[in-house]
């Protein structure tokens, strides 16, 4: 079974803090994705990566950065957290050469106060 | 870029009845249309998908239909059960190699016993 794990299920941070969200997949997938999920807006793509050290901006990259130093790990970084970044963050992965099914992690509920 | 609309936003049905969720997309180049189910506290999970060279696909109580000309696709769930209660997302692929998905805003389905 494909497994995508995220470092935290719930996270509470203060405004201005630097926040790291980590995602690990165990199926040797080339592609990894970070989404933000808000009620009524569905899932919106923040960044995706198609290879180690490679990244592409999604629809809402402002205020976020990413890092992919190893194939199995994809990190989302909030350089200076703001209250409007309070949301559910979902990581996903899939194989290259698609389009193919994306496998999602359980999500991280981030609250910025 | 691709835009995906989804209706209805909420749907309540009696156990045993059928449920239909409809989505429209804007980019005629999109060629892969997955449907995801998200249960409370979990990440989205693929339940069925369809590619643009197919008009209909069934998997037990679940079916998806695709009308490429009209750019819409629908999820049909028959003989609904309480465990079908969840949020359902449609998506369409886009971008180079179609690795990115654009998601609809979601439908909250409640199956009443």
């Amino acid at each position: 079974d494909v497994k995508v794990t995220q470092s935290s299920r719930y996270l509470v941070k203060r405004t201005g803090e630097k926040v790291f969200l980590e995602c690990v997949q165990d199926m040797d997938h080339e592609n990894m994705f970070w989404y933000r999920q808000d009620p009524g807006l569905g899932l919106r793509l923040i960044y995706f990566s198609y290879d180690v050290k490679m990244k592409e901006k999604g629809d809402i990259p402002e205020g976020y950065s990413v890092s992919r130093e190893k194939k199995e790990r994809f990190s989302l970084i909030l350089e200076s957290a703001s209250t409007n970044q309070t949301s559910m963050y979902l990581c996903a992965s899939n194989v290259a050469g698609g389009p193919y099914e994306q496998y999602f992690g359980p999500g991280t509920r981030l609250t910025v106060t | 870029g691709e835009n995906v609309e989804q209706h209805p936003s909420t749907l309540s049905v009696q156990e045993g009845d059928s449920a239909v969720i409809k989505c429209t997309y804007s980019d005629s180049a999109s060629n892969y249309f997955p449907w995801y189910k998200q249960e409370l506290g979990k990440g989205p999970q693929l339940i069925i998908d369809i590619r643009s060279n197919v008009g209909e696909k069934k998997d037990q109580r679940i079916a998806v239909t695709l009308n490429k000309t009209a750019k819409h696709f629908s999820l049909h769930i028959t003989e609904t059960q309480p465990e079908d209660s969840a949020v359902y997302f449609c998506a369409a692929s886009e971008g180079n190699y179609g690795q990115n998905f654009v998601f609809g805003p979601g439908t909250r389905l409640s199956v009443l016993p």
Side-chain angles (χ1 to χ4, degrees), chain B residues 6 21 23 33-36 46-48 64 73-75 89-90:
Chain B
Q6 182 173 349
I21 302 171
C23 289
F33 306 91
W35 284 90
Y36 283 83
L46 182 78
I47 54 171
I48 196 166
V64 57
F73 57 112
S74 301
L75 177 71
F89 294 98
C90 62

Side-chain angles (χ1 to χ4, degrees), chain B residues 4-112:
Chain B
V4 177
E5 296 185 355
Q6 182 173 349
H7 299 280
S9 56
T10 60
L11 180 60
S12 292
V13 299
Q14 290 294 135
E15 184 177 355
D17 286 351
S18 295
V20 180
I21 302 171
K22 298 183 178 182
C23 289
T24 61
Y25 62 99
S26 60
D27 187 353
S28 56
S30 293
N31 60 2
Y32 176 69
F33 306 91
W35 284 90
Y36 283 83
K37 176 183 181 182
Q38 186 176 27
E39 297 175 336
L40 200 60
K42 297 184 178 180
Q45 187 169 12
L46 182 78
I47 54 171
I48 196 166
D49 55 13
I50 192 166
R51 296 188 185 271
S52 58
N53 57 350
V54 175
E56 183 175 2
K57 185 176 178 180
K58 283 185 181 179
D59 183 3
Q60 299 182 333
R61 296 186 298 109
I62 293 173
V64 57
T65 57
L66 171 65
N67 183 327
K68 282 195 302 181
T69 304
K71 297 203 196 88
H72 66 72
F73 57 112
S74 301
L75 177 71
H76 305 254
I77 306 174
T78 58
E79 300 171 16
T80 53
Q81 300 167 4
E83 51 265 37
D84 294 329
S85 296
V87 179
Y88 291 81
F89 294 98
C90 62
S93 64
E94 72 156 8
N96 295 333
Y97 310 109
Q99 70 267 26
N100 294 349
F101 295 172
V102 175
F103 286 83
T107 296
R108 183 173 297 279
L109 174 64
S110 299
V111 180
L112 309 173

Side-chain angles (χ1 to χ4, degrees), chain A residues 16-30:
Chain A
E17 279 193 85
K18 191 168 186 175
V19 182
F20 292 87
L21 303 182
E22 299 225 314
C23 174
V24 177
Q25 49 94 4
D26 65 359
M27 284 301 291
D28 202 36
H29 285 168
E30 291 80 9

Side-chain angles (χ1 to χ4, degrees), chain A residues 41-94:
Chain A
L41 297 178
L43 283 67
R44 292 179 293 166
L45 183 65
I46 304 172
Y47 269 98
F48 78 95
S49 169
Y50 52 90
D51 201 352
V52 174
K53 296 190 187 296
M54 306 305 290
K55 61 186 180 185
E56 293 272 352
K57 291 181 180 179
D59 297 322
I60 52 165
E62 296 79 18
Y64 304 94
S65 61
V66 290
S67 172
R68 192 161 179 207
E69 297 296 319
K70 293 186 177 181
K71 189 175 185 180
E72 68 272 16
R73 189 178 298 268
F74 192 33
S75 300
L76 180 69
I77 303 154
L78 287 66
E79 295 289 343
S80 177
S82 63
T83 55
N84 62 13
Q85 293 178 310
T86 292
S87 188
M88 171 70 83
Y89 291 89
L90 290 162
C91 175
S93 70
N94 70 357

